[in-house]
Amino acid sequence: MKNRFSYKLLGAQVDALSIPDLNVLIEESIDKDDKWIIANHNLHSLYLFHNDLKMQAFYAKAEYTHIDSMPLVFIGKLLGFPMKREQRVTYADWVWPLMAEAANKGWRVFYLGSKPGVAEKGASILCQRFPGLQIACAHGYIDMDKDSQENLATLAAINAYKPHILMVGMGMPRQEYWISENLEHIHTNIILTTGACMDYVAGAIPTPPRWMGKVGLEWLYRLLCEPKRLWRRYLLEPWFVGTLFLREIWSISNQQKKNKLLIFISTRFHKFVVLSSFSKPYQ
């Protein structure tokens, strides 16, 4: 699956995967008792990736990186990749089938993130929706120093619970930094970077209408809901990503010109060889 659906897009590696594909991968990791990071890319993460060495190091550790941005799917299609709408996966959509799968298969889930009380409220809603779901929580407002008492206590709580799935929802790039710095001490099968996932479930942040996600306008809803926090992400950073897109178009254009030149030279050389062979005198 990885080789078939993995693409280099705007300088970063992404895996075009749907929700069923991702659930299959989680089951595979649990069955094998492996430890995988499944990360995601959107326009904001691409901006961070190209400007932050720590983020580059984090993505290098990820087993898979799914697409969490409809504009990225559109860009991929413009660049000739066979991407589909259902291969844009955001946690506002994925959390429900993922928790249904966890409840059905007895996977233990630990959610780390959100403000105190929010994760517990979200977990309660999920447990009511999916009877039998095993989920524990801890808020994400902790001292990020890896040797701090809060951090050590958080790691101890996670490892004591022995989750199959660890969801880290601290926002970018904080959640990626935390995972990278603590990875060797985390005992789980799957680590997911979930952003505001539980805030949506708990109703702490309004969930964008799902039709807006399908047409690539979810960013506009989020900007209108949280302008002070998100104006830079949605109004400035896309210009940087736009330059990456133009560079890629330029690179493809130049490569096509080079290919045409190589074909021209190869054709001329072939004709020269053929004509030379006919022009040789008989021995």
Side-chain angles (χ1 to χ4, degrees):
M1 183 183 288
K2 190 170 180 65
N3 291 333
R4 185 177 175 189
F5 297 110
S6 186
Y7 307 106
K8 192 73 172 288
L9 180 64
L10 304 183
Q13 205 71 27
V14 297
D15 301 292
L17 299 163
S18 64
I19 287 175
D21 293 331
L22 287 161
N23 284 346
V24 167
L25 289 174
I26 286 177
E27 185 170 21
E28 181 184 341
S29 174
I30 292 169
D31 288 345
K32 291 180 176 178
D33 198 22
D34 287 339
K35 181 164 70 174
W36 293 352
I37 296 171
I38 297 183
N40 60 76
H41 260 315
N42 52 39
L43 297 185
H44 178 51
S45 69
L46 275 179
Y47 174 83
L48 295 172
F49 176 82
H50 285 284
N51 292 279
D52 187 335
L53 293 177
K54 286 185 180 179
M55 287 292 277
Q56 292 176 24
F58 167 78
Y59 281 101
K61 296 173 184 174
E63 194 74 20
Y64 293 92
T65 302
H66 69 87
I67 300 168
D68 180 12
S69 167
M70 192 56 76
L72 276 189
V73 173
F74 294 152
I75 289 171
K77 291 169 79 71
L78 286 173
L79 293 173
F81 298 127
M83 294 179 177
K84 302 173 184 177
R85 286 178 182 266
E86 59 266 28
Q87 290 169 332
R88 183 264 180 160
V89 177
T90 182
Y91 280 93
D93 299 320
W94 187 19
V95 64
W96 308 103
L98 177 58
M99 293 302 104
E101 197 85 352
N104 288 335
K105 295 188 173 169
W107 298 339
R108 290 182 301 280
V109 179
F110 195 105
Y111 181 87
L112 171 63
S114 303
K115 293 179 180 178
V118 172
E120 287 79 5
K121 182 179 178 182
S124 176
I125 291 169
L126 291 171
C127 287
Q128 289 174 19
R129 177 84 172 265
F130 306 107
L133 176 64
Q134 302 174 68
I135 183 168
C137 307
H139 70 78
Y141 283 68
I142 60 173
D143 184 343
M144 291 283 286
D145 188 296
K146 64 183 301 184
D147 296 318
S148 73
Q149 295 247 339
E150 281 184 313
N151 193 62
L152 294 173
T154 298
L155 287 170
I158 292 168
N159 293 335
Y161 189 69
K162 298 180 181 178
H164 297 100
I165 301 170
L166 172 63
M167 304 171 73
V168 185
M170 298 179 177
M172 286 183 175
R174 194 169 183 263
Q175 60 196 12
E176 287 79 10
Y177 289 171
W178 185 86
I179 292 168
S180 287
E181 290 174 7
N182 296 281
L183 184 58
E184 63 181 309
H185 302 296
I186 299 170
H187 303 313
T188 187
N189 296 117
I190 288 289
I191 302 173
L192 304 175
T193 50
T194 63
C197 169
M198 202 62 88
D199 296 73
Y200 288 133
V201 173
I205 297 176
T207 302
R210 302 324 302 137
W211 68 265
M212 295 188 82
K214 291 178 181 178
V215 298
L217 290 175
E218 191 167 311
W219 66 271
L220 180 59
Y221 183 92
R222 295 189 66 194
L223 176 63
L224 293 174
C225 289
E226 300 182 88
K228 289 184 179 180
R229 186 173 77 86
L230 298 176
W231 71 270
R232 183 181 295 275
R233 178 186 302 189
Y234 291 131
L235 298 181
L236 296 183
E237 291 178 10
W239 291 100
F240 173 81
V241 177
T243 63
L244 295 177
F245 176 65
L246 291 176
R247 273 188 223 159
E248 197 135 332
I249 291 290
W250 179 259
S251 175
I252 291 171
S253 176
N254 284 343
Q255 188 59 48
Q256 288 174 342
K257 289 176 183 178
K258 289 176 185 177
N259 290 342
K260 287 180 181 178
L261 179 59
L262 288 172
I263 291 169
F264 175 78
I265 292 171
S266 176
T267 304
R268 291 291 178 177
F269 180 72
H270 179 69
K271 286 182 179 179
F272 172 76
V273 170
V274 171
L275 289 174
S276 297
S277 65
F278 277 115
S279 65
K280 287 181 181 178
Y282 290 106
Q283 297 293 326

